[in-house]
Amino acid sequence: MRDRENVSNEVENFSEIFSNEDVSIYPNPVDKVLHVSAKFIMSKVEIYDIQGNIQMTKIAQTQKIELNLELISSGLYIVRITDTEGRIRNYRTKKL
């Protein structure tokens, strides 16, 4: 429950972040496949809806991953990336 509250609260505080020096998420907005690449090893990538409900989890252990979002409803989502040291980064994406 605590994790769900954190994700919902984070949605309200996000600016339009689609890429930075360490992470690139594209295309944004996304229709079918979301590409996530990082300069570090991602151990897990999760997709949450804006209510904090988890929609998808992928165990990665890589710097690049493709997520098929075709079956997920349109709306705003949080892409939560966990690295191999347990650090978490959150980004917003829009599903068409």
Side-chain angles (χ1 to χ4, degrees), residues 11 13-19 28-29 76 91-94:
V11 170
N13 298 323
F14 278 162
S15 60
E16 297 293 327
I17 300 174
F18 304 123
S19 67
N28 201 352
L76 294 176
Y91 302 92
R92 183 171 64 180
T93 191
K94 182 177 181 179

Side-chain angles (χ1 to χ4, degrees), residues 1 12 14 30 37 43 54 56 80 82 92 94-95:
M1 182 70 172
E12 297 174 10
F14 278 162
V30 60
S37 62
S43 64
I54 192 157
M56 178 183 293
R80 175 173 278 185
T82 305
R92 183 171 64 180
K94 182 177 181 179
K95 169 68 169 69

